[in-house]
Amino acid sequence: MFNLSLFRRLTGRILPISPELRTISSDDNNTAIGVFAPELLDRITDHLHNDRPTLLRLGLTSRQTLIRSRLHLFSELEFNKGGDRQFDMFLALLEAPWTSFTNAVESLHVKELFLPRGYKHLPNKNLARILANLPNLRTLRLTSLLWPYIPPHIRDLFFQTNIADLQLDSVAFATYTYRRAEIDIMELFVRLSLHPSLKSITLYNLQFDDEVIPNLSQHSSTFRRRFHLKSLDTSSLLLLKDVWDPLRANDLDITVESFHVRLVPMTRSNREAYIPFFSRFLRRVGPSLHHIFIKLSDPYLDSTGKQTFRYFAR
């Protein structure tokens, strides 16, 4: 159904309304649709890409404007701290067979959810239907999360989507009350190695116990596949020192676009001892590097410069 009167109000200040259009009856849908070329409807909708209220109204005028407006309204979704219930409601919508707006979702950002003693996420999701309703999701960004507390069914969802770009920013892999850093990191990289569509990865400010760096050398084969990192920093690289040191791994096949040199926390002992490792790694990936950033700010800031909360307080 084409709502002509609503369309007139929304477009009146963008395009002049012709006298012929003013005489068209609002219930003459076929005539009204024929007046506007599909390309013109798309251009009008795209022109309003930053005007969320108008896009919501424009989606009521016709099926074509509904589909086009959804591309701007829902292409990037973000769930922030305190949004656990909303995230569960989003998953419930994805389970519904009639859901259609999620076809527009291209990027999903999950930040500061799944906190200990927080909201209990509902299990037993219909994973196959959820994945079918996210056919165009390409980027997944996880920020300031505690990896062990991400519910298993949600971790399964994250790594079965058809994403091409995975961004991990300030994700923690261990706490004093939950020491499973090696297992968690192993799980992450096993899933990465089995993900066929993944093209690029960001590892920034990955967090772990300042006093105990996990030893991954016994699992080095898991980290030997080819990895292309869009962004990597010294904190995350330090977590992988036992498996990504060119001195130990002659067959290392890693490319890095951007490398961030950041302060190693003062609480970490023998900080100077890691400099030769950083140097060897940078020489190895040097041909692929496009940018090197040097940041002398707080080592616990996330990639946007915001303070991340620490998980390792006793």
Side-chain angles (χ1 to χ4, degrees):
M1 182 67 69
F2 186 90
N3 189 327
L4 181 58
S5 61
L6 178 58
F7 187 79
R8 283 172 176 164
R9 294 198 300 272
L10 294 174
T11 60
R13 286 181 294 180
I14 301 175
L15 294 171
I17 303 298
S18 67
E20 293 81 4
L21 182 57
R22 295 182 189 276
T23 62
I24 296 175
S25 172
S26 60
D27 59 357
D28 190 354
N29 299 314
N30 292 331
T31 304
I33 291 174
V35 169
F36 292 98
E39 296 81 5
L40 179 58
L41 291 177
D42 289 344
R43 291 189 64 181
I44 292 172
T45 308
D46 293 344
H47 179 81
L48 298 166
H49 66 279
N50 285 327
D51 190 342
R52 184 178 178 84
T54 303
L55 284 173
L56 289 169
R57 297 186 183 96
L58 190 60
L60 301 175
T61 62
S62 74
R63 177 176 176 80
Q64 180 177 340
T65 55
L66 171 65
I67 295 174
R68 192 73 174 189
S69 63
R70 283 175 170 177
L71 295 178
H72 300 291
L73 289 168
F74 303 116
S75 63
E76 298 181 6
L77 295 184
E78 182 172 328
F79 295 88
N80 286 312
K81 184 178 181 180
D84 292 81
R85 186 181 300 275
Q86 288 79 7
F87 186 71
D88 247 10
M89 293 173 62
F90 173 62
L91 295 182
L93 282 173
L94 287 170
E95 284 189 281
W98 42 262
T99 296
S100 59
F101 81 93
T102 54
N103 289 342
V105 178
E106 298 177 354
S107 174
L108 179 62
H109 185 190
V110 180
K111 181 178 182 179
E112 294 188 39
L113 302 190
F114 321 120
L115 298 179
R117 298 178 297 279
Y119 176 84
K120 301 299 181 183
H121 287 263
L122 302 176
N124 304 321
K125 302 293 182 183
N126 186 335
L127 186 59
R129 180 168 290 166
I130 290 175
L131 294 172
N133 280 328
L134 287 173
N136 297 309
L137 180 64
R138 294 295 177 267
T139 300
L140 174 63
R141 183 178 181 188
L142 307 179
T143 302
S144 297
L145 301 182
L146 181 56
W147 184 268
Y149 287 93
I150 302 176
H153 68 278
I154 294 180
R155 287 206 302 268
D156 290 340
L157 167 64
F158 286 160
F159 286 97
Q160 291 189 44
T161 54
N162 195 35
I163 57 172
D165 181 30
L166 174 66
Q167 303 175 20
L168 301 182
D169 184 354
S170 305
V171 175
F173 285 91
T175 68
Y176 284 121
T177 59
Y178 197 107
R179 288 185 177 274
R180 292 186 58 208
E182 293 89 347
I183 297 175
D184 292 329
I185 298 169
M186 279 291 298
E187 177 197 6
L188 169 64
F189 275 84
V190 167
R191 289 176 179 267
L192 293 179
S193 65
L194 297 176
H195 202 297
S197 64
L198 196 60
K199 303 299 182 185
S200 63
I201 306 168
T202 291
L203 302 178
Y204 190 90
N205 194 33
L206 297 189
Q207 300 181 17
F208 50 96
D209 186 342
D210 282 346
E211 298 178 4
V212 181
I213 300 177
N215 188 340
L216 303 172
S217 57
Q218 295 181 354
H219 314 285
S220 58
S221 60
T222 303
F223 301 85
R224 288 295 188 267
R225 65 154 280 187
R226 186 182 190 280
F227 290 103
H228 174 68
L229 290 103
K230 182 182 295 184
S231 184
L232 178 68
D233 77 320
T234 47
S235 176
S236 305
L237 180 58
L238 194 57
L239 185 62
L240 300 161
K241 65 179 180 60
D242 295 312
V243 290
W244 280 4
D245 189 340
L247 194 63
R248 304 180 183 181
N250 293 325
D251 58 344
L252 195 64
D253 189 7
I254 295 175
T255 54
V256 181
E257 289 187 30
S258 298
F259 188 79
H260 298 254
V261 180
R262 305 171 64 227
L263 291 177
V264 177
M266 295 293 293
T267 53
R268 195 155 293 149
S269 59
N270 299 321
R271 294 186 304 159
E272 293 79 7
Y274 303 125
I275 295 177
F277 160 61
F278 293 147
S279 178
R280 288 192 296 271
F281 182 84
L282 286 175
R283 284 200 300 268
R284 184 60 174 265
V285 303
S288 65
L289 277 174
H290 294 177
H291 308 282
I292 294 182
F293 301 95
I294 299 177
K295 299 185 177 181
L296 302 180
S297 56
D298 188 325
Y300 297 123
L301 299 179
D302 66 17
S303 61
T304 64
K306 295 182 179 179
Q307 186 76 34
T308 60
F309 48 87
R310 297 290 290 155
Y311 300 104
F312 306 109
R314 294 185 184 274

